[in-house]
Amino acid sequence: MSFSWKEALDKIEEHREVARGLGGPERVQRQHDQGRLTIRERISHLADQFTEVGEFAGFRVRDSSGNDVGRLPSSYVCGLGTVDGRQVAIGGEDFTVRAGAPQTYLDRYKGGMGGFVEDLAHEYRIPVVLFMEGIGGDVSAQDEVGHSYLVSSMSWKRSIELMSEVPVLVAVLGSAAGGTAGRAVLSHFSVISEGSVLFAGGPPVVRRALGKAIDKHELGGARMHTSVSGAIDNLVTDETEAIEQIKTVLGYLPQNVWELPPRGDRTDPVDRSCDAVLDIVPENRRRPYRMSAVMAEIVDRDSFFEMGGEWGKSVVTAFGRIDGIPVGLIGNNPMHLAGALDASAAEKQIRFTDLCGTFHLPIIHFVDVPGFMVGPEAERGGVVRWGMRAIQALVEADVPVVTIHVRKAYGMAVSATSDPDALGLRIAWPTGEWGDMPIEGGVEAGFRREIEKAENPEQFRREVEERLLAESDPWKTVEAFGIEMMIDPRRTRTVVAQFINASVNSMRTKLGPRQRPWSMRP
Amino acid sequence: MEEVRAELTGSVWRILATVGATVTKGEELMILESMKMEIPVESPVDGTIESIEVAEGDIVESGTLLAKVALS
């Protein structure tokens, strides 16, 4: 056969047409009708520039007699892109082709579970953004292989390795079931769009297994996963917002763990007085307020971005910047459970602490916690174990921590806000109050016998309370250097910025993957 | 229709919303008291108050139905 350049180049063009066609106009239309973009559209919205790999990988459609009747592009699109000037590996299922089924028909996976796109991120040490929309492994995949295979023959190693090397950012847009769902949660930050669903097994599987009929949204809807299970971090309205949030979080994180997070613009003066905090924190101790509002006032303007805000709500976890330096913000939220730390809040805090430790973000703790959550529900939820894990996570994070005592700080939960074996820098506001237990509950518990025996129990209790309240004047602790600083809250930004700027010296010496000193979480 | 339930055990301190009122997501419907704190109960959605299931002074448990909000 003779070779001609024209024919060879035409052949490339021909293959390109097939690739561009995705799963065909009908399937593409259906995708659009359901308010979803195709994978190619998603990638072009995310990346300024994209070099595709495996563009011409495809799937041969056969009829029931085994004859070739056509070609479809492969059910996965991936490559190297530029996002806000940064090189990023990008991949995603093509739901219009075989519902994004695994690429068992290819010699090499492009993505979905490890695959080229993850090898690319690993090899070049660049972030990976994955658009998840697929049904996971299914019987037709097995049919192609020709024999049943053990799922344990497929490796998760690369996906797990990436978690300690580069940012792994995921957007669930559509249905993510089985293996696709699993891949989605193996990430540092994930979003799911309204109307999308995620589950280990979908309604047909549930019906067969449990005899139970259930709607897919009730089973694994976006709202449920962001507000109950916490399997996905943020709920977004639509695909545009999904891409915005991915880009936003990418902006706080380095290309890989061998670098410091990128310093942003230093346009907000560090000597800005945080006057608003005097209005946000009520003078009435019983009244709650939004800790997120306090955080937003301290960090660089418009740099506050909350992660997991609808779940584990008695704690707020968010990204921010201080003088351009990306920081992790963790704060108790008095609006929920009076700010008490329950199992889900602790779990959220642990995950975020681990993320900060992984990518070298200093942590600023904003403390207003009455303690671990109490009561039978909290105990059944394992609050003690989860609370202790939160303490361990902070100690292991090995990043600079600055702790601001906004208001309450009682009980073991406070150990999760500052590590005395690290710098232990704690900055009190005049509203700060602390101890083993709040005086009111503490006196009734600790002096119960004496109160019962007293001539006038009510008066005795009040007298004890007054004495202890006088002792617990925060200034006494300050004077004993039992806490490192007491400041006018309006100076918080200025003071914190000094310490965070200085802490960069330390972080520079601790780059690379985190080495965990303990072998397991209790 | 969204059910608004108590997130913890306490008592109903103050009811702010009335049946039939239009509310926005995050608007305070009532305030519970627990752990020596005022615990705000916010509407989870934009909508109209279909019912208030408790009265001021009632003791509520975690999970007790407090109100129903019809989605707008």
Side-chain angles (χ1 to χ4, degrees):
Chain A
M1 225 179 100
S2 68
F3 174 85
S4 98
W5 273 115
K6 182 177 187 318
E7 274 173 36
L9 297 175
D10 282 348
K11 198 156 178 104
I12 293 183
E13 243 344 278
E14 184 205 309
H15 274 87
R16 186 152 285 157
E17 290 286 312
V18 173
R20 293 262 170 278
L22 299 155
E26 260 176 51
R27 292 256 154 96
V28 171
Q29 186 58 50
R30 192 187 307 167
Q31 190 81 345
H32 289 154
D33 288 344
Q34 290 169 1
R36 297 199 300 273
L37 300 177
T38 66
I39 179 58
R40 290 190 179 282
E41 286 164 340
R42 287 166 185 160
I43 293 175
S44 79
H45 278 91
L46 170 72
D48 312 313
Q49 177 271 327
F50 181 64
T51 301
E52 188 172 349
V53 175
E55 189 180 354
F56 306 136
F59 176 76
R60 297 207 165 271
V61 185
R62 297 200 159 88
D63 65 16
S64 46
S65 313
N67 302 311
D68 262 1
V69 292
R71 235 164 61 224
L72 281 175
S74 60
S75 44
Y76 202 88
V77 176
C78 71
L80 175 64
T82 310
V83 178
D84 287 344
R86 298 167 60 157
Q87 285 100 1
V88 169
I90 307 172
E93 283 87 9
D94 180 354
F95 201 71
T96 65
V97 176
R98 316 179 71 240
Q103 312 112 59
T104 47
Y105 48 90
L106 299 176
D107 285 358
R108 182 178 183 180
Y109 267 48
K110 291 165 78 176
M113 189 173 167
F116 180 84
V117 69
E118 298 194 35
D119 291 342
L120 176 64
H122 169 76
E123 180 71 17
Y124 286 1
R125 297 188 173 170
I126 57 178
V128 59
V129 175
L130 300 173
F131 292 106
M132 314 296 306
E133 187 181 14
I135 54 168
D138 74 338
V139 291
S140 60
Q142 181 184 290
D143 195 22
E144 267 149 34
V145 175
H147 60 266
S148 61
Y149 51 84
L150 279 157
V151 179
S152 55
S153 299
M154 304 170 84
S155 173
W156 282 105
K157 180 174 182 194
R158 183 65 84 219
S159 308
I160 290 168
E161 271 176 337
L162 287 182
M163 290 297 285
S164 61
E165 296 175 346
V166 295
V168 179
L169 309 171
V170 158
V172 177
L173 306 171
S175 297
T180 312
R183 185 67 196 84
V185 307
L186 198 50
S187 55
H188 296 108
F189 173 72
S190 55
V191 299
I192 186 167
S193 58
E194 288 271 13
S196 294
V197 292
L198 178 144
F199 28 62
V205 176
V206 173
R207 191 178 317 116
R208 278 197 305 279
L210 305 178
K212 184 186 170 71
I214 186 167
D215 165 74
K216 67 179 181 179
H217 297 286
E218 201 191 325
L219 175 63
R223 279 190 184 273
M224 186 283 288
H225 278 306
T226 47
S227 66
V228 180
S229 73
I232 300 291
D233 297 307
N234 282 12
L235 178 67
V236 292
T237 323
D238 57 22
E239 307 219 354
T240 307
E241 197 188 350
I243 288 169
E244 271 165 30
Q245 289 211 5
I246 297 275
K247 286 184 173 184
T248 300
V249 170
L250 186 64
Y252 295 104
L253 303 176
Q255 285 295 87
N256 56 63
V257 303
W258 289 270
E259 291 177 3
L260 281 176
R263 188 166 200 154
D265 293 331
R266 302 168 76 169
T267 48
D268 189 5
V270 294
D271 59 4
R272 167 167 62 77
S273 177
C274 302
D275 297 347
V277 300
L278 301 188
D279 295 320
I280 296 167
V281 180
E283 287 176 347
N284 179 349
R285 290 167 70 224
R286 285 170 44 98
R287 201 152 285 163
Y289 57 92
R290 290 186 198 288
M291 188 58 90
S292 50
V294 172
M295 292 168 159
E297 178 65 10
I298 305 299
V299 298
D300 295 352
R301 285 259 179 265
D302 301 322
S303 74
F304 178 84
F305 180 83
E306 189 169 1
M307 183 170 152
E310 296 302 314
W311 170 67
K313 289 165 96 156
S314 62
V315 107
V316 176
T317 51
F319 295 100
R321 285 192 188 84
I322 292 282
D323 201 18
I325 299 168
V327 295
L329 310 168
I330 302 177
N332 309 107
N333 184 11
M335 294 293 282
H336 291 274
L337 304 180
L341 197 71
D342 69 351
S344 4
E347 190 181 341
K348 189 169 95 169
Q349 180 165 327
I350 291 164
R351 198 151 163 267
F352 190 73
T353 304
D354 284 352
L355 192 158
C356 293
T358 302
F359 293 111
H360 320 298
L361 275 76
I363 292 173
I364 308 178
H365 263 281
F366 292 79
V367 186
D368 187 355
V369 65
F372 285 166
M373 186 59 189
V374 295
E377 256 201 25
E379 298 298 344
R380 290 167 117 85
V383 62
V384 176
R385 187 184 289 287
W386 277 104
M388 292 312 295
R389 285 178 178 164
I391 296 171
Q392 184 197 36
L394 182 70
V395 173
E396 288 185 337
D398 197 17
V399 289
V401 178
V402 178
T403 304
I404 301 168
H405 279 264
V406 178
R407 206 160 65 175
K408 295 194 187 67
Y410 294 102
M412 291 196 289
V414 184
S415 288
T417 66
S418 178
D419 180 5
D421 296 302
L423 183 59
L425 172 61
R426 296 161 299 183
I427 302 173
W429 289 6
T431 36
E433 49 171 285
W434 43 73
D436 271 315
M437 284 188 68
I439 300 298
E440 296 89 343
V443 168
E444 276 189 45
F447 289 81
R448 190 162 49 91
R449 288 219 170 74
E450 291 88 330
I451 292 171
E452 276 168 10
K453 285 210 196 93
E455 231 175 75
N456 186 342
E458 183 52 35
Q459 185 182 336
F460 180 83
R461 186 182 58 74
R462 250 186 298 114
E463 280 167 4
V464 174
E465 271 180 18
E466 269 165 37
R467 188 178 86 239
L468 287 175
L469 274 167
E471 274 171 14
S472 62
D473 172 5
W475 279 103
K476 289 192 183 253
T477 317
V478 170
E479 285 159 14
F481 199 46
I483 190 164
E484 286 67 37
M485 297 177 77
M486 163 77 86
I487 61 168
D488 174 343
R490 294 170 294 183
R491 290 187 58 226
T492 304
R493 176 177 164 75
T494 312
V495 170
V496 166
Q498 286 282 300
F499 286 104
I500 297 290
N501 266 302
S503 78
V504 177
N505 290 286
S506 156
M507 287 197 293
R508 254 187 224 122
T509 68
K510 293 180 179 176
L511 298 178
R514 289 294 310 118
Q515 303 302 319
R516 288 188 58 196
W518 277 272
S519 57
M520 66 173 258
R521 292 222 187 279
Chain B
M1 208 260 311
E2 289 279 320
E3 290 184 346
V4 183
R5 294 186 176 273
E7 62 169 8
L8 79 178
T9 298
S11 61
V12 180
W13 184 54
R14 200 159 285 170
I15 296 185
L16 304 170
T18 48
V19 175
T22 316
V23 292
T24 51
K25 181 176 170 180
E27 194 174 323
E28 260 178 43
L29 305 178
M30 62 182 75
I31 304 174
L32 306 181
E33 183 187 350
S34 182
M35 303 171 67
K36 306 276 190 277
M37 288 280 301
E38 294 171 20
I39 312 284
V41 177
E42 298 178 327
S43 178
V45 292
D46 293 338
T48 319
I49 307 287
E50 194 167 293
S51 69
I52 306 268
E53 306 283 333
V54 292
E56 287 179 8
D58 284 357
I59 306 290
V60 296
E61 299 263 312
S62 170
T64 301
L65 182 64
L66 302 173
K68 290 186 188 168
V69 183
L71 289 151
S72 54

